[in-house]
């Protein structure tokens, strides 16, 4: 396997323009002869399906939900970054590029990130044109706010529902194409395998979630926009159905997996309240614009927050990182919260919580302003905890949220399997070892609207006359594989439910592959995961049959894949003997407890190649070449 | 707390369904309604019984997947919340809770509490968009939009397409859903070029699948995003104006 990043030549700011001028094109009259499968219709998938349809391609879009608009992109709260510099505060494309590279702890590809910053401005234009109701100033112009890890105000938002509004823009554009007949929509269809013919991705195998029927679908190229994999931790901010199956199946068919251990723990989520907890609810990072994070200075202080005077409060982010304060980037803020709680100063019944306090902001700005900015977030918090953030500080704790890792892709977003493209959170490319707030929305839409529709043409132009039909033997073989897996899960007839295994796996991952990792812990985790996985296949209980709606069966397949992914994450974390961004190895930290990178030995993307059942995966290294940015210790003091 | 649940079970679209009684035991008041159902389902799986099937995903009131009639009210007793945001502290120990799928002829049952809501996407396909191809947008700040207009459009755009409005309406009408979408786009300058065609086409498709609105206002009472029936009035005015000014072009879907 050879990793070619295919970054165009020339100066950084001209690479994308160069690439666009040199890609092969598909004649407009020929586009309708090409079939493209798009799996997933979140921001990346919907934007891609819509744009490819507008261009005239035949798109087949598959989602396991009842409608494309259920994708978890819809839940993103805080905002989307763009280098518009409307605030006149010194922002620029270069600065957004630089903030993202630095925020990623110098583990992302320069060329990709620069392009992302360039395209950020086009995304806002497109969204506004679609009718996305971004917040406005009184004069009618777009409003901005700040987000973590940056010192400019470049985030556009629509109340606390930016994800939903952006997704609706893309969803509506997609529905328009469905009406026009360029996109054929397959709802309630889950992709369970990738089909590779003569080394190229030529289709997928799906299960119809209503009838249970396993079907083969052929195409000239396959695009995966299937989201992230932090549900491997069971408790995360992801939706319940979010899973890694599509990318995992692709990995097993030859697509290298990039940096699986780079997972992001978001600092501000509502703490777990009981054993029955099904997920952790995110409280948008935008709250850190106005909220102040603190814990009591005293260990084991059980006084109500209102009774702890200012002098006895530790506003630890403001103390440790004066120039960024409460807007320190996520990995840093999460570790600081863990440190405070490990020190015995955590709040709440479990001792695993810190305060996010709006008292000062309410005093300074008045309640109506706070209500306007965060109204629905405060309501959401109140519904869940029965506590009123206008009166008492919010209780928050870090939770798994996003995966920077994902399938390896080159500059054109193509994986190591020709014809297989990966976009949005499902790919590894733009965020390095830590993603900044408000940039996931940006990346998904950049990939889906502006990058993929152009780069895919370059590949398709080489595929003219090479159409593959679903009667090829590779399809039948893949269908047989899927039937076999489904059959084994149904016939285990064991003693424990899927959820009980999922919870146990999640606890192992949180304890040993979470915010702070050690060699011993990771090795222990690997042993535990392997044992549990073996037990799972013998002992899982999946009720019902395969020929009907069966939510237990759906979960069972996804959890089976999580077991394997969990192993790869631990293997990756074990091999990376440094701390970078969201990957923190306790053995490699500065005297002040910050991440200590090892640029001498680990300045590369770790791309793992599957070598078959029971064999160790093989590591391929893509060196990271920084032409523009100077590597530095990442400091937010 | 312990509760008695009377849950609609139905094997498939064609089969007859029935209420089955379950006990939910030792439920924490801080648990959500769906977490309570998860607990009941784990107990069913332990007895080798098919768990209660219900649609859900984000568990934070934004994806619109979840929805059930709880004691006859869509999304339960609170108002302004989706089923997943309802917490057990709003129920009493020992209470009976009747749980049914969305009640509407336009939403046939698929299994248990899962229904088919695809007609809602059909309405969007008829015109719930602004036709602008990727890459042809003007610079974003070229178009100043008065803040009150943006805020009102945002109020309408909060719709999560859950279908509670249809389920609660005695006529099974989808006016609130359609009006939210029509209003969101019709209030904004970007939506003006297609405003008339949009409302004519979307209403036509809506009437093909759903009942008629006689302003019961039950929809507004159960909408998790508290969308106002004012948008229905706005849509009706828009529709009337459009019929005066233009002929409807054929619906493409």
């Amino acid at each position: 396997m050879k990793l070619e990043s295919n970054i165009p030549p020339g100066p950084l700011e001209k690479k994308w323009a160069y690439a666009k001028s040199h890609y092969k094109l598909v004649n407009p009259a020929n586009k309708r002869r090409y079939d493209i499968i798009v799996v997933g219709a979140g921001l990346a998938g919907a934007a891609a399906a819509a744009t490819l349809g507008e261009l005239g391609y035949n798109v087949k879009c598959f989602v396991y939900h009842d409608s494309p608009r259920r994708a978890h992109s819809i839940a993103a709260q805080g905002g989307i970054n763009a280098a518009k510099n409307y605030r006149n505060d010194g922002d620029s494309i270069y600065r957004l590029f630089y903030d993202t590279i630095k925020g990623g702890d110098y583990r992302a590809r320069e060329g990709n990130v620069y392009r992302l910053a360039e395209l950020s401005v086009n995304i806002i234009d497109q969204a506004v044109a679609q009718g996305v109701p971004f917040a406005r100033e009184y004069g009618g112009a777009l409003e901005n706010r700040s987000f973590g890890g940056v010192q400019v105000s470049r985030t556009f938002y629509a109340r606390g529902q930016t994800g939903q509004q952006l997704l609706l823009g893309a969803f509506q554009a997609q529905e328009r194409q469905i009406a026009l007949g360029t996109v054929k929509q397959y709802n309630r269809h889950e992709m369970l395998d990738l089909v590779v013919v003569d080394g190229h991705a030529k289709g997928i195998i799906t299960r119809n979630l209503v009838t249970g029927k396993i079907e083969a679908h052929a195409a000239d190229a396959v695009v995966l926009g299937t989201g992230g994999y932090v549900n491997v931790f069971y408790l995360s901010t992801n939706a319940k159905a979010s899973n890694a199956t599509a990318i995992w199946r692709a990995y097993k068919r030859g697509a290298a997996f990039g940096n699986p251990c780079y997972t992001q723990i978001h600092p501000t989520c509502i703490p777990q309240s009981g054993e029955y907890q099904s997920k952790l609810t995110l409280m948008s990072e935008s709250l850190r614009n106005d909220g102040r994070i603190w814990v009591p200075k005293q260990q084991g202080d059980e006084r109500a927050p209102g009774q702890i005077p200012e002098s006895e409060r530790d506003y630890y982010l403001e103390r440790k990182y004066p120039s960024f304060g409460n807007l320190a980037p996520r990995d840093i803020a999460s570790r600081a919260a863990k440190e405070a709680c490990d020190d015995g100063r955590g709040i709440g019944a479990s001792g695993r919580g810190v305060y996010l306090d709006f008292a000062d902001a309410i005093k300074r700005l008045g309640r109506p302003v706070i209500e306007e900015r965060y109204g629905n977030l405060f309501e959401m918090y109140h519904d869940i905890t029965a506590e009123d953030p206008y009166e008492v500080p919010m209780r928050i704790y870090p939770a798994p949220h996003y995966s920077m890792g994902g399938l390896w892709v080159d500059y054109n977003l193509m994986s190591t399997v020709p014809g297989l493209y990966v976009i949005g959170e499902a790919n590894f490319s733009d965020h390095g070892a830590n993603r900044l707030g408000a940039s996931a929305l940006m990346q998904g839409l950049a990939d889906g609207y502006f990058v993929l529709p152009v780069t895919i043409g370059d590949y398709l132009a080489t595929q003219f006359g090479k159409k593959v039909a679903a009667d090829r033997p590779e399809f039948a073989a893949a269908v047989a594989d899927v039937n076999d897996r489904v059959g084994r899960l149904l016939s285990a007839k064991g003693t424990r439910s899927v959820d009980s295994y999922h919870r146990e796996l999640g606890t192992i991952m949180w304890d040993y592959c979470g915010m702070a990792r050690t060699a011993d812990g990771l090795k222990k985790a690997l042993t535990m995961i392997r044992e549990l996985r073996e037990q799972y296949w013998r002992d899982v209980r999946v009720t019902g049959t395969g020929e009907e709606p069966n939510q237990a069966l759906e979960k069972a397949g996804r959890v089976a894949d999580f077991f394997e992914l969990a192993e790869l994450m631990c293997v990756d974390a074990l091999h990376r003997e440094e701390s970078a961004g969201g990957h923190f190895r306790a053995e490699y930290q500065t005297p002040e407890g910050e991440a200590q990178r090892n640029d001498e030995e680990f300045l590369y993307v770790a791309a793992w190649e599957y070598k078959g059942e029971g064999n160790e995966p093989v590591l391929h290294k893509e060196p990271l070449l920084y032409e523009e940015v100077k590597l530095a210790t990442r400091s937010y003091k | 707390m312990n509760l008695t649940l009377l849950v609609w079970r139905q094997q498939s679209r064609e089969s007859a369904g029935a209420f089955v009684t379950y006990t939910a035991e030792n439920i924490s008041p801080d648990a959500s309604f769906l977490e309570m159902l998860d607990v009941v389902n784990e107990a069913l799986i332990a007895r080798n019984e098919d768990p209660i099937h219900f649609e859900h995903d984000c568990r934070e009131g934004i994806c619109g997947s979840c929805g059930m009639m709880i004691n006859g009210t869509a999304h339960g007793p609170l108002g302004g919340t989706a089923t997943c945001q309802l917490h057990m502290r709003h129920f009493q120990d020992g209470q009976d809770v009747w749980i049914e799928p969305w009640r509407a002829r336009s939403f046939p049952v698929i299994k248990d509490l899962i229904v088919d809501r695809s007609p809602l996407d059909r309405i969007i396909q008829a015109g719930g968009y602004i036709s602008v191809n990727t890459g042809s947008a003007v610079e974003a700040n070229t178009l100043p939009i008065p803040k009150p207009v943006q805020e009102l459009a945002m109020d309408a755009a909060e719709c999560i397409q859950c279908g509670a409005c249809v389920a609660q309406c005695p006529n099974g009408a989808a006016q609130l859903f359609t009006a939210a979408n029509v209003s969101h786009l019709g209030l904004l300058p970007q939506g003006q070029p297609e405003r008339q065609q949009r409302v004519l086409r979307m209403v036509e498709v809506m009437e093909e699948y759903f009942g008629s609105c006689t302003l019961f206002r039950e929809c507004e009472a159960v909408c998790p995003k508290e969308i106002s029936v004012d948008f229905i009035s706005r849509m009706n005015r828009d529709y009337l104006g459009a019929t005066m000014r233009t002929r409807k072009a054929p619906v493409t879907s």
Side-chain angles (χ1 to χ4, degrees), chain A residues 315-620:
Chain A
Y315 292 92
Y316 57 86
L317 287 181
E318 294 170 20
R319 169 173 58 83
K320 294 177 72 158
Y321 310 105
S323 56
F324 281 78
N326 294 298
L327 284 174
R330 294 176 177 186
D331 50 340
I332 287 177
S334 293
R335 277 197 289 276
K338 179 179 191 299
E339 190 191 322
C341 294
D342 286 348
D343 194 40
R345 295 183 292 127
I347 53 92
S350 61
R352 292 268 143 211
V354 302
Y355 287 125
L356 176 59
D357 199 337
F358 290 85
D360 287 342
I362 292 172
K363 226 184 290 183
R364 180 168 49 93
L365 298 163
R367 184 172 159 148
V369 171
I370 298 296
E371 229 176 277
E372 196 196 305
R373 290 185 187 176
Y374 309 114
N376 56 340
L377 297 171
F378 276 31
E379 256 182 68
M380 188 190 281
Y381 181 86
H382 181 242
D383 281 343
I384 293 172
T385 61
E387 292 168 20
D388 185 357
Y390 294 107
E391 303 293 327
V392 295
M394 277 190 185
R395 289 177 297 112
I396 51 155
Y397 197 66
H401 176 57
Y402 183 88
S403 49
M404 282 72 66
L407 290 183
W408 183 92
V409 291
D410 67 6
Y411 187 79
N412 304 321
L413 303 185
M414 190 156 83
S415 68
T416 52
V417 176
L420 178 68
Y421 287 84
V422 193
I423 55 178
E425 190 174 347
N427 76 26
F428 92 99
S429 69
D430 296 340
H431 306 290
N434 174 60
R435 178 177 69 75
L436 291 180
S439 56
L441 303 183
M442 176 175 80
Q443 186 224 337
L445 291 176
D447 287 355
Y449 281 133
F450 299 111
V451 179
L452 176 83
V454 172
T455 64
I456 203 171
D458 189 56
Y459 169 75
L460 290 174
T462 67
Q463 298 298 300
F464 194 76
K466 296 189 188 164
K467 201 174 273 297
V468 152
D471 55 11
R472 290 283 291 260
E474 289 88 343
F475 285 88
V479 168
D481 282 345
V482 171
N483 273 319
D484 179 61
R485 268 176 81 82
V486 169
R488 283 195 295 143
L489 288 167
L490 284 167
S491 61
K493 300 232 179 287
T495 63
R496 281 175 62 178
S497 71
V498 177
D499 273 359
S500 83
Y501 277 105
H502 196 177
R503 277 182 205 275
E504 194 174 332
L505 174 67
T507 307
I508 296 171
M509 290 302 282
W510 180 243
D511 287 343
Y512 300 108
C513 198
M515 275 191 278
R517 302 156 173 177
T518 65
D520 284 340
L522 289 165
K523 288 181 190 148
K524 185 168 170 198
L526 277 168
T527 310
M528 291 170 82
I529 293 167
R530 286 169 182 150
E531 275 171 19
L532 193 63
R533 174 186 160 195
E534 207 240 322
Q535 193 189 330
Y536 179 77
W537 281 98
R538 271 187 290 113
D539 185 49
V540 70
R541 174 178 292 183
V542 180
T543 47
T545 72
E547 284 82 45
E548 52 171 351
N550 188 338
Q551 291 179 319
L553 177 62
E554 291 165 27
K555 281 195 235 180
R558 296 167 193 166
V559 172
D561 290 335
F562 276 137
F563 271 109
E564 299 177 15
L565 170 63
E567 260 190 73
L568 187 65
M569 285 168 67
C570 291
V571 165
D572 188 40
L574 192 55
H575 112 279
R576 186 168 285 276
E577 290 171 346
E578 61 160 359
S579 292
H583 166 67
F584 191 80
R585 283 284 298 271
E587 307 98 320
Y588 307 102
Q589 51 180 298
T590 66
E592 293 136 329
E594 302 293 345
Q596 182 145 73
R597 285 195 331 261
N598 181 346
D599 293 339
E600 295 280 301
E601 294 179 46
F602 290 98
L603 190 61
Y604 61 80
V605 175
W608 294 91
E609 181 189 0
Y610 180 65
K611 282 304 208 183
E613 187 62 43
N615 299 326
E616 295 294 316
V618 166
L619 173 65
H620 299 272

Side-chain angles (χ1 to χ4, degrees), chain A residues 51 54 65 69-70 84 86 125 128 131 140 159 175-176 188 240-241 279 384 497 541 548 551, chain B residues 11 42 45 53-55 57-58 60 63 89 125 133-134 139-140 145 151 155 158 161 184 190:
Chain A
T51 307
E54 286 162 15
H65 288 114
R69 67 162 292 155
R70 309 284 182 219
K84 286 281 199 185
Y86 286 157
D125 297 341
V128 169
R159 290 202 188 135
E175 293 290 312
R176 177 166 81 101
R188 299 195 195 270
K240 292 298 288 175
K279 68 161 279 182
I384 293 172
S497 71
R541 174 178 292 183
E548 52 171 351
Q551 291 179 319
Chain B
Q11 188 63 17
E42 286 292 284
I45 292 170
H53 277 57
F54 59 91
E55 209 130 36
D57 206 20
C58 75
E60 43 184 287
C63 70
R89 63 180 80 92
Q125 284 161 24
N133 285 1
T134 302
E139 205 283 328
I145 300 179
E151 292 283 332
D155 286 345
E158 293 213 1
Q161 199 168 324
H184 159 209
Q190 307 92 308

Side-chain angles (χ1 to χ4, degrees), chain B:
Chain B
M1 53 204 297
N2 300 323
L3 302 107
T4 306
L5 308 180
L6 300 105
V7 185
W8 185 260
R9 301 300 305 266
Q10 183 172 334
Q11 188 63 17
S12 69
R13 187 176 300 212
E14 300 75 31
S15 32
F19 282 102
V20 179
T21 307
Y22 301 99
T23 347
E25 285 169 359
N26 279 326
I27 304 295
S28 162
D30 290 327
S32 72
F33 196 84
L34 295 185
E35 283 165 351
M36 186 236 345
L37 287 180
D38 289 341
V39 169
V40 169
N41 275 343
E42 286 292 284
L44 289 177
I45 292 170
R47 301 202 304 257
N48 252 318
E49 287 176 40
D50 207 21
I52 302 164
H53 277 57
F54 59 91
E55 209 130 36
H56 65 102
D57 206 20
C58 75
R59 301 270 173 130
E60 43 184 287
I62 191 70
C63 70
S65 296
C66 71
M68 41 196 88
M69 310 301 288
I70 298 170
N71 287 338
T73 305
H75 290 312
L78 278 193
T81 45
T83 305
C84 59
Q85 299 173 298
L86 180 61
H87 284 72
M88 298 316 295
R89 63 180 80 92
H90 301 287
F91 291 84
Q92 314 236 332
D93 189 19
Q95 192 174 345
D96 281 358
V97 185
W98 293 82
I99 303 175
E100 303 165 81
W102 276 168
R103 289 191 206 138
R105 186 168 297 166
S106 343
F107 295 156
V109 171
I110 292 177
K111 179 170 174 174
D112 292 343
L113 305 170
I114 301 179
V115 298
D116 179 358
R117 291 172 288 189
S118 48
L120 296 178
D121 273 356
R122 301 265 163 73
I123 295 176
I124 303 294
Q125 284 161 24
Y129 47 74
I130 289 172
S131 302
V132 54
N133 285 1
T134 302
S136 53
V138 299
E139 205 283 328
N141 255 350
T142 321
L143 206 51
I145 300 179
K147 196 167 159 76
V149 170
Q150 171 266 326
E151 292 283 332
L152 193 57
M154 179 69 214
D155 286 345
E158 293 213 1
C159 168
I160 60 175
Q161 199 168 324
C162 65
C165 48
V166 175
Q168 192 69 26
C169 173
N171 299 335
Q175 249 73 353
L176 193 65
F177 167 74
T178 311
N181 196 276
V182 164
S183 301
H184 159 209
L185 300 175
L187 278 165
L188 295 172
Q190 307 92 308
Q192 298 313 300
E194 293 168 291
R195 183 172 159 190
Q196 287 154 13
Q197 289 303 321
R198 176 181 305 116
V199 66
L200 291 174
R201 291 182 190 178
M202 288 178 78
V203 167
E204 179 180 334
V205 173
M206 178 191 75
E207 305 215 303
E208 199 184 315
Y209 290 99
F210 296 95
S212 299
C213 173
T214 55
L215 280 177
F216 277 100
R217 302 181 66 162
E218 299 256 353
C219 50
E220 181 185 61
V222 297
C223 174
K225 296 300 176 193
E226 296 178 311
I227 292 178
S228 166
V229 293
D230 282 357
F231 290 118
I232 298 181
S233 313
R234 176 179 290 276
M235 177 174 75
N236 291 345
R237 282 201 301 279
D238 231 10
Y239 184 83
L240 191 58
T243 55
M244 302 287 170
R245 290 191 202 102
T246 186
R247 279 182 208 289
K248 183 181 60 64
V251 175
T252 47
S253 71

